[in-house]
Amino acid sequence: MEKIKVTQVRSVIGRPKKQKLTMIALGLTKMNKTVEHNATPQILGMIDKVRHLVKIENV
């Protein structure tokens, strides 16, 4: 399965609660934190909802 790196590049301050919870579910709790995930449809859907807050790279 393909791996992707997700990095938080913008703050969640002032964002809707759903976006904050999505970021926590992805494991992103601080600025510039990077996590690796498998590119499953569930993860890609969560990333799509917060794409304006994160940077995505293929591994």
Side-chain angles (χ1 to χ4, degrees), residues 6 29 51:
V6 185
T29 55
R51 66 184 174 271

mmCIF file of all heavy atoms in Angstrom, residues 6 29 51:
data_model
loop_
_atom_site.group_PDB
_atom_site.id
_atom_site.type_symbol
_atom_site.label_atom_id
_atom_site.label_comp_id
_atom_site.label_asym_id
_atom_site.label_seq_id
_atom_site.Cartn_x
_atom_site.Cartn_y
_atom_site.Cartn_z
ATOM 1 N N VAL A 6 2.009 13.526 5.715
ATOM 2 C CA VAL A 6 1.115 14.663 5.886
ATOM 3 C C VAL A 6 1.737 15.584 6.922
ATOM 4 O O VAL A 6 2.081 15.148 8.022
ATOM 5 C CB VAL A 6 -0.283 14.203 6.360
ATOM 6 C CG1 VAL A 6 -1.241 15.367 6.414
ATOM 7 C CG2 VAL A 6 -0.826 13.106 5.472
ATOM 8 N N THR A 29 -1.190 17.567 15.757
ATOM 9 C CA THR A 29 -1.584 18.360 16.912
ATOM 10 C C THR A 29 -0.799 19.653 17.049
ATOM 11 O O THR A 29 -1.195 20.522 17.806
ATOM 12 C CB THR A 29 -1.400 17.541 18.203
ATOM 13 O OG1 THR A 29 -0.051 17.073 18.269
ATOM 14 C CG2 THR A 29 -2.345 16.351 18.218
ATOM 15 N N ARG A 51 -7.428 19.900 3.444
ATOM 16 C CA ARG A 51 -6.316 20.081 2.501
ATOM 17 C C ARG A 51 -5.727 21.480 2.545
ATOM 18 O O ARG A 51 -4.573 21.676 2.180
ATOM 19 C CB ARG A 51 -6.735 19.710 1.087
ATOM 20 C CG ARG A 51 -7.779 20.618 0.483
ATOM 21 C CD ARG A 51 -8.223 20.119 -0.890
ATOM 22 N NE ARG A 51 -9.317 20.917 -1.390
ATOM 23 C CZ ARG A 51 -10.601 20.665 -1.155
ATOM 24 N NH1 ARG A 51 -10.924 19.607 -0.430
ATOM 25 N NH2 ARG A 51 -11.546 21.442 -1.633
#
